Amino acid sequence: MLKQKQQQYPEDGQPLSASTGVQFAEFTKGKKRKRKGAELETVTLEKDNGRAGKGSQRKGAGKLMRFNEEGKAEGYPIKDQEKAPVQPIAHRKPESRPKGHTIESQPRRQQPGNPKPSQGNPPTHLLKRRDALLPTRKSLPIWPHAEPIRAALRKNNVLVLTGETGSGKSTQVPQFLLSEPWCTKTIAITQPRRVAAISLARRVAEEMGSLMGNQSPAAKVGYSVRFDNATGPGTRVKFLTEGMLLQEMLRDPEMSQYSAVVVDEVHERSVNVDLILGFLKNLVAGIEKVKKRKTPLKVVVMSATADVEALVQFFGDGVKTSIENGKIEAGDSESKISNSHVSIGDKPEKRDTAKMIENFDQKPTEDSHDQISTCFVEGRQYPVKTIYLPQPTQDWVESALKIIFQIHYKEPLPGDILVFLTGQDTIEGLEKLINEYAQGMDSDVPKLLALPLFAALPQHAQQRIFTPTPHRTRKVILATNIAETSVTVPGVRFVIDCGKSKIKQFRNRLGLESLLVKPISKSAAIQRKGRAGREAAGQCYRLYTEKGYEIMEERTTPEILRCDLSHAILTMKARGADDVLNFPFLDRPPREALEKALLQLLHLSALEETGAISEMGLKMAKLPLTPTLGRVLVEAARPERDCLLDVVDIISALSVENIFLNLVTEERKEEAEAARRELYRREGDHMTLLVTVQRYSEERSDRKVWCEKHFVSHRAMQNVMNIKKQLLQQCSQLKLLTSTELPASSSSEAKTQAGLACILRGFISNTARLMPDGSYRTLMGNQTVSIHPSSVLFGRKTEAIVFSEFVFTGKAWARGVSAVQLDWVSEVIEAIM
DNA sequence: GAGCACTGC
């Protein structure tokens, strides 16, 4: 069977014949250009061709590879960043690191005569490095735009900047603004991911000849991410994650420490970025009831895709329009803008990069903030040829397999293949098939090395994609959409895109979330394709037809339209944006979703009957937890509960991915069951988590060995301890930690009951009772739910349950389950209804 | 007796 199939792959390196069922319609430029709606694609191709020669001639381009062309060391996830904050990004090429020293170690070797950093002058080697980097900076596409950008922000408070991949916007824009007369304080630049914030800060520090913020009081550059704050009194450029800035905005509503906020990667449209933009809009327009700033806050919104119109409209009169229309449709706003506005400078279609700033009045008012500047900066990308399937396929694992071997036989090395798949199971399935087929290859054919890549994969296995490809070998990286944004895989010239991805969707009616395999959007398809053209010209095989591409949605549905909104709304209320139905949303969630979330917050007593935020709600909003978990924590601090320390342990464990390792074989599973038995508690999963965290904390000899013995993830437990520490700090700040709790003050039975009562208070909508037929039905909603097989209560019958997770995967499952008494549940429900 | 894309405070 295997042999037969192998013979379908010709050995002479010719493409597969029609008999194999794989044939591709070639993507032709001319044909495509005439087609409307595919313009973005066409434009990229055109421009790519134009830039290819330039790019390849560019000297020193390769040396910058550790950063992408924006000077951004794109997010290889170093999970234990806080443990190794100065660890070089995993895929940095050794030669691209500063030679002979690191920024971190050098200061200790200061010669006595050299100026000390604390005296305000950076060490000379930093200045040398700064000067050496200047030519590279000057060659970035954004460099010629420095003056227009400065001029635009002198005139207006808001700038929308579209910069394609490789334009250099993330590193250069803050540096352009630093010397401006209005810029007397700090510039904040937000990033969706920790690694990006950290590595951008490092890069900009190098370019500015500065130390990192926590190394010297004079250091000008810093970053701030959870568990890792590297800022100091002299920090003028501060990279932070979106979540970090949101927390700051709750504590300092007028953002008094900043002169400007640069919101980067807006096109990714995280819930956090949507909230930040809404708050900034209110702040810039003076709508929010915050203390007025003495100087206006400058706002730069940066996006990779040309969504300028929507953003301009948003900061212009967006609020009004969006309320009138209920929901802004992308197409709608586009046509409106183009009718009422002149051209906004160079569109992507043009290759010429003349001055691109043009201001245009949205509507004349006395306020200058109604004027928004826009700017487009081209990127640096090699051309990528797109190849579609002639016929749609159901079995993309099979199609991918054929194309992998077709490329392998036909295309010369080097040139690795990146395959986008939906999840772990399809990845592992394809990996197995590749290895089977590769065994049958002739010895004169180069080898194939299949490497899986998904977030749940252990760190060391993920690292394998960065190790140099062995001689006469082609890597095939099988990835989820982690490779779309979070990880840049080096060496890729061929992309195979299955056109699907798993998307989480919250169902308001049922109050549960489900994970669905859905077609990706055009913008995601373009993003995936672009991964083939980062180092050289490439090819993208799409496992769908050209028609299939054309019927894709233009862009991925923003997260705010498909998630549980209770956290977002609590944040809004905590910031004083009381009227959530009229909040300036870039995309307005359906009314039903907003109301569902408001009701949920009311049930948690985070809101008063009037809809105003309660004192409890304010505390919950300041905790790095979902509203439900926040509520559990606040409940535990009440004197009559008095079980805060236990509950912090449980919540910390609930805040990380599974702390119990997932075992594959039956044998290992049984082994794990036996080893964990001493941790399991009949009260359920929450008390089991508590015991596990307690035992781990008590372990004084070797915690790693303890974890191995109990089949517990050491990495997850380290994370639990970090979160625990942070929660305890915040509890003390919020005056929650004033209880007289003593470990021996009450019986363990009473403590368990108190802990469960707190969990019940937070998760009151996630409760179910046992029915006579043995099934469970939720008490608020009357839906059938089953205890997930991963629970210690699986297969057990108890009169009522409370669960911390409610997911739908073929069937409604309760995960993280505790047994409770039915009258406890009824009591709480009666009290809140 | 099931199955889990990806971030982040």
Side-chain angles (χ1 to χ4, degrees):
Chain A
M1 154 85 183
L2 219 137
K3 263 247 143 70
Q4 255 182 6
K5 277 208 167 178
Q6 257 162 30
Q7 282 160 4
Q8 293 179 355
Y9 300 105
E11 291 173 9
D12 58 1
Q14 290 305 303
L16 294 175
S17 67
S19 65
T20 63
V22 181
Q23 212 178 24
F24 287 93
E26 291 250 328
F27 181 103
T28 55
K29 207 170 58 182
K31 177 178 143 208
K32 201 65 197 203
R33 283 185 69 173
K34 292 188 186 98
R35 221 182 287 270
K36 255 231 147 140
E39 244 165 35
L40 191 53
E41 188 79 338
T42 318
V43 165
T44 320
L45 247 183
E46 255 269 280
K47 187 150 52 62
D48 284 346
N49 288 338
R51 291 217 60 89
K54 243 185 174 172
S56 51
Q57 282 162 19
R58 216 167 17 110
K59 282 235 165 136
K63 281 187 185 164
L64 263 177
M65 254 19 241
R66 74 172 145 139
F67 296 96
N68 67 22
E69 300 91 322
E70 288 190 20
K72 186 185 294 190
E74 256 189 280
Y76 183 70
I78 301 167
K79 279 279 164 80
D80 292 329
Q81 196 80 45
E82 54 282 353
K83 289 277 161 203
V86 294
Q87 181 179 344
I89 297 304
H91 62 286
R92 285 186 180 184
K93 290 181 180 170
E95 67 270 23
S96 68
R97 294 224 296 272
K99 289 217 171 79
H101 60 256
T102 62
I103 300 173
E104 291 76 21
S105 64
Q106 188 63 18
R108 278 186 227 124
R109 290 193 218 143
Q110 281 290 311
Q111 297 297 314
N114 280 1
K116 281 180 190 158
S118 56
Q119 290 169 341
N121 292 321
T124 43
H125 74 274
L126 291 182
L127 298 178
K128 271 189 196 156
R129 174 78 183 145
R130 178 194 68 187
D131 296 342
L133 286 173
L134 193 60
T136 318
R137 292 179 58 202
K138 286 183 174 170
S139 73
L140 287 168
I142 195 148
W143 188 263
H145 300 279
E147 196 37 54
I149 287 171
R150 281 193 278 255
L153 278 168
R154 252 174 258 151
K155 194 172 171 197
N156 297 320
N157 290 336
V158 181
L159 167 68
V160 176
L161 192 151
T162 311
E164 299 179 336
T165 314
S167 61
K169 62 184 187 318
S170 309
T171 52
Q172 304 311 306
V173 168
Q175 296 185 69
F176 293 163
L177 305 182
L178 209 50
S179 54
E180 285 295 282
W182 52 261
C183 192
T184 54
K185 298 180 218 161
T186 307
I187 299 174
I189 307 101
T190 68
Q191 293 294 320
R193 281 168 289 278
R194 298 164 52 96
V195 243
I198 295 169
S199 50
L200 281 169
R202 290 220 183 97
R203 175 66 184 191
V204 171
E206 265 191 277
E207 290 185 358
M208 287 173 60
S210 165
L211 287 162
M212 196 52 78
N214 53 350
Q215 295 172 326
S216 149
K220 291 193 175 63
V221 184
Y223 64 84
S224 173
V225 300
R226 191 183 191 182
F227 307 131
D228 192 1
N229 183 0
T231 57
T235 302
R236 302 276 325 275
V237 177
K238 177 168 159 187
F239 287 89
L240 29 56
T241 45
E242 293 158 355
M244 226 43 190
L245 186 75
L246 271 179
Q247 282 293 316
E248 286 189 3
M249 288 175 97
L250 293 187
R251 291 174 165 85
D252 176 18
E254 68 265 37
M255 311 191 78
S256 51
Q257 60 162 314
Y258 299 113
S259 290
V261 179
V262 181
V263 190
D264 200 3
E265 312 284 13
V266 165
H267 58 277
E268 291 192 23
R269 293 296 304 277
S270 63
V271 174
N272 283 346
V273 113
D274 281 19
L275 288 180
I276 287 174
L277 291 178
F279 292 154
L280 286 176
K281 189 214 148 70
N282 283 351
L283 194 60
V284 171
I287 291 171
E288 269 194 12
K289 294 170 276 180
V290 297
K291 209 175 85 195
K292 194 137 171 86
R293 290 172 55 99
K294 287 190 193 108
T295 52
L297 182 74
K298 304 284 182 181
V299 174
V300 184
V301 178
M302 306 205 293
S303 171
T305 46
D307 209 8
V308 184
E309 288 87 351
L311 288 165
V312 167
Q313 177 160 354
F314 177 76
F315 277 100
D317 62 357
V319 195
K320 229 183 215 163
T321 319
S322 64
I323 291 167
E324 282 163 6
N325 297 349
K327 189 179 159 193
I328 305 178
E329 295 290 332
D332 256 322
S333 62
E334 242 165 9
S335 60
K336 256 180 227 137
I337 290 283
S338 56
N339 287 339
S340 56
H341 296 296
V342 286
S343 153
I344 47 168
D346 283 26
K347 290 274 182 108
E349 291 94 285
K350 298 183 191 166
R351 273 196 55 220
D352 184 17
T353 57
K355 293 212 169 171
M356 293 175 185
I357 301 278
E358 278 201 30
N359 306 313
F360 52 97
D361 293 333
Q362 185 81 8
K363 65 174 192 278
T365 58
E366 69 276 32
D367 290 315
S368 67
H369 50 65
D370 273 341
Q371 300 196 348
I372 291 123
S373 307
T374 62
C375 174
F376 171 80
V377 184
E378 81 283 11
R380 269 190 192 142
Q381 181 86 351
Y382 294 91
V384 178
K385 190 164 86 174
T386 309
I387 302 130
Y388 291 97
L389 281 185
Q391 301 293 330
T393 176
Q394 293 299 314
D395 191 351
W396 19 265
V397 167
E398 165 114 18
S399 303
L401 184 70
K402 286 175 180 166
I403 294 160
I404 289 165
F405 280 89
Q406 174 190 325
I407 293 169
H408 189 51
Y409 278 98
K410 190 174 124 192
E411 304 288 346
L413 288 173
D416 295 338
I417 305 171
L418 172 60
V419 191
F420 282 101
L421 295 164
T422 51
Q424 185 172 351
D425 49 345
T426 48
I427 286 173
E428 286 170 350
L430 183 56
E431 181 188 10
K432 211 171 145 224
L433 285 172
I434 292 171
N435 289 334
E436 278 173 16
Y437 282 74
Q439 273 177 8
M441 290 192 306
D442 280 354
S443 56
D444 58 341
V445 179
K447 290 195 173 63
L448 271 177
L449 177 62
L451 298 173
L453 178 67
F454 47 89
L457 203 65
Q459 205 71 25
H460 63 90
Q462 288 191 16
Q463 296 280 355
R464 291 177 67 201
I465 63 163
F466 299 114
T467 57
T469 312
H471 181 59
R472 270 178 43 83
T473 302
R474 193 192 301 272
K475 278 190 208 161
V476 188
I477 292 106
L478 313 173
T480 60
N481 39 11
I482 191 174
E484 217 176 278
T485 48
S486 304
V487 178
T488 303
V489 185
V492 173
R493 296 202 185 164
F494 306 96
V495 160
I496 301 175
D497 170 18
C498 75
K500 303 263 194 292
S501 70
K502 285 190 181 171
I503 300 231
K504 194 186 256 176
Q505 190 104 38
F506 183 71
R507 303 198 200 172
N508 294 300
R509 281 267 187 75
L510 309 175
L512 55 68
E513 48 192 28
S514 45
L515 203 59
L516 307 165
V517 175
K518 286 195 147 183
I520 59 171
S521 65
K522 278 183 191 157
S523 66
I526 293 165
Q527 175 75 15
R528 288 180 173 189
K529 168 185 151 179
R531 293 287 161 176
R534 299 183 68 97
E535 295 176 20
Q539 294 173 23
C540 176
Y541 291 81
R542 289 180 167 160
L543 302 183
Y544 39 93
T545 60
E546 191 169 355
K547 178 105 188 293
Y549 173 76
E550 267 150 31
I551 59 171
M552 281 177 176
E553 300 281 337
E554 282 304 318
R555 53 196 71 245
T556 311
T557 308
E559 195 187 356
I560 202 153
L561 298 184
R562 45 185 178 83
C563 75
D564 173 12
L565 292 172
S566 53
H567 192 110
I569 288 179
L570 186 62
T571 310
M572 283 156 52
K573 294 266 184 185
R575 200 176 139 85
D578 275 322
D579 186 5
V580 297
L581 294 179
N582 288 317
F583 184 80
F585 286 105
L586 209 44
D587 284 279
R588 179 163 303 279
R591 199 185 172 90
E592 190 194 359
L594 292 165
E595 282 169 354
K596 170 87 192 177
L598 284 168
L599 193 64
Q600 159 85 342
L601 291 172
L602 193 67
H603 286 164
L604 292 173
S605 317
L607 303 181
E608 311 281 359
E609 288 291 328
T610 58
I613 192 162
S614 65
E615 207 152 299
M616 187 174 280
L618 270 174
K619 286 179 181 163
M620 288 161 60
K622 285 179 181 167
L623 291 165
L625 297 169
T626 58
T628 39
L629 282 176
R631 184 63 181 84
V632 174
L633 190 67
V634 176
E635 182 72 16
R638 293 175 63 183
E640 64 265 39
R641 302 290 187 208
D642 201 24
C643 55
L644 189 70
L645 299 182
D646 282 358
V647 164
V648 164
D649 281 352
I650 297 170
I651 288 176
S652 304
L654 285 174
S655 299
V656 301
E657 79 280 28
N658 201 359
I659 63 170
F660 293 113
L661 291 171
N662 240 342
L663 287 319
V664 187
T665 63
E666 276 310 310
E667 208 184 356
R668 296 272 290 167
K669 272 183 194 170
E670 277 171 31
E671 223 181 303
E673 282 296 306
R676 288 173 188 160
R677 197 150 297 147
E678 56 173 295
L679 303 173
Y680 288 169
R681 285 294 169 272
R682 64 187 165 79
E683 292 88 357
D685 297 316
H686 302 111
M687 289 303 142
T688 300
L689 289 175
L690 174 62
V691 171
T692 309
V693 175
Q694 285 175 338
R695 293 286 164 80
Y696 177 89
S697 310
E698 286 159 10
E699 180 61 38
R700 293 281 172 243
S701 49
D702 192 335
R703 288 179 171 178
K704 200 168 179 197
V705 169
W706 185 91
C707 284
E708 279 161 16
K709 201 178 143 205
H710 292 90
F711 296 85
V712 164
S713 160
H714 186 235
R715 201 175 84 183
M717 288 309 291
Q718 288 175 311
N719 218 344
V720 169
M721 300 311 271
N722 276 329
I723 295 170
K724 177 178 168 176
K725 196 172 137 197
Q726 190 192 25
L727 287 178
L728 288 174
Q729 274 171 7
Q730 280 163 336
C731 283
S732 106
Q733 275 171 26
L734 293 171
K735 308 260 189 294
L736 294 173
L737 203 59
T738 52
S739 84
T740 53
E741 186 178 17
L742 293 169
S745 67
S746 50
S747 71
S748 73
E749 171 88 4
K751 291 199 88 165
T752 302
Q753 288 216 2
L756 288 179
C758 297
I759 290 164
L760 192 58
R761 186 59 192 83
F763 289 98
I764 191 63
S765 8
N766 286 1
T767 49
R769 63 183 297 181
L770 187 64
M771 303 306 281
D773 65 357
S775 69
Y776 288 92
R777 285 286 187 95
T778 58
L779 280 133
M780 296 168 80
N782 204 28
Q783 295 168 60
T784 304
V785 61
S786 309
I787 298 179
H788 196 271
S790 65
S791 169
V792 300
L793 290 185
F794 177 72
R796 287 258 312 273
K797 303 248 182 286
T798 164
E799 63 175 15
I801 53 169
V802 58
F803 41 96
S804 39
E805 235 183 306
F806 191 20
V807 290
F808 189 92
T809 44
K811 172 177 181 183
W813 295 105
R815 302 182 60 199
V817 188
S818 280
V820 286
Q821 288 174 27
L822 188 57
D823 51 343
W824 298 359
V825 185
S826 316
E827 237 172 77
V828 181
I829 291 181
E830 272 166 36
I832 63 166
M833 294 305 262

